[in-house]
């Protein structure tokens, strides 16, 4: 569940997503979080230009952003080493996704699992857009 309102971009956007990717990450600010991994769950939604007519587009990967590229990007960023804040990790992932100029907006949610016994997860969700020239 996103806390952000639906995108109302003109032209309309197609929403692609990576949902509930589970990884072990070196993350955290506290001493007990140093040198160990923690389970995290990452979800990424990103908007690319879409058509409004009823035409069916070419059945070709070149007209969209590959999910695999985003998954590989997330794995690489998480594997780069210890990050203190989930906010920092989310920002790095958002910047990486926005490096593809076809992406108009990205939302990244990162949840730390197993932090509190009585809570499923804690984390952050951010939304970013390309910088205007």
């Amino acid at each position: 569940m996103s806390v952000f309102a639906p995108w109302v971009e003109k032209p309309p956007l197609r929403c692609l997503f990576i949902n509930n990717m589970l990884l072990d990450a070196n993350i955290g600010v506290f001493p007990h979080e140093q040198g160990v991994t923690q389970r995290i769950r990452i979800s990424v939604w990103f908007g690319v230009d879409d058509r409004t007519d009823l035409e069916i587009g070419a059945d070709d990967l070149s007209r969209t952003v590959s999910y695999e590229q985003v998954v590989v990007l997330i794995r690489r960023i998480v594997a780069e080493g210890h990050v203190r804040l989930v906010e920092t990790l989310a920002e790095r992932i958002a910047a990486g996704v926005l490096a593809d100029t076809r992406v108009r907006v990205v939302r990244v949610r990162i949840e730390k699992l197993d932090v509190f016994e009585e809570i499923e997860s804690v984390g952050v969700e951010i939304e970013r857009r390309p910088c205007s020239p």
Side-chain angles (χ1 to χ4, degrees):
M1 176 184 149
S2 176
V3 297
F4 295 107
W7 296 318
V8 289
E9 300 294 321
K10 301 290 182 205
L13 298 178
R14 175 177 306 171
C15 179
L16 297 103
F17 59 91
I18 309 297
N19 201 33
N20 297 329
M21 184 176 182
L22 296 172
L23 294 171
D24 290 324
N26 292 298
I27 193 163
V29 298
F30 298 109
H32 68 272
E33 297 175 303
Q34 308 301 311
V36 298
T37 60
Q38 297 183 62
R39 286 187 329 133
I40 62 171
R41 179 170 40 222
I42 300 174
S43 295
V44 180
W45 301 268
F46 46 104
V48 298
D49 289 334
D50 198 7
R51 301 171 63 141
T52 58
D53 57 25
L54 294 177
E55 292 291 319
I56 297 172
D59 190 22
D60 189 87
L61 185 59
S62 65
R63 72 182 188 115
T64 191
V65 175
S66 167
Y67 308 112
E68 181 181 18
Q69 289 176 341
V70 176
V71 168
V72 168
L73 169 79
I74 294 168
R75 286 179 184 150
R76 180 184 55 77
I77 290 171
V78 169
E80 286 177 348
H82 191 88
V83 177
R84 293 173 49 85
L85 302 174
V86 290
E87 290 84 352
T88 302
L89 184 58
E91 291 163 351
R92 289 176 183 174
I93 292 169
V97 173
L98 285 171
D100 187 317
T101 58
R102 298 172 293 177
V103 176
R104 302 287 177 243
V105 59
V106 61
R107 291 180 180 156
V108 178
R109 171 181 276 182
I110 300 183
E111 300 169 83
K112 288 173 69 173
L113 310 174
D114 312 317
V115 175
F116 299 101
E117 185 177 314
E118 70 278 16
I119 299 173
E120 181 180 333
S121 66
V122 296
V124 68
E125 181 174 322
I126 65 168
E127 178 176 290
R128 296 291 186 268
R129 297 170 188 277
C131 296
S132 300

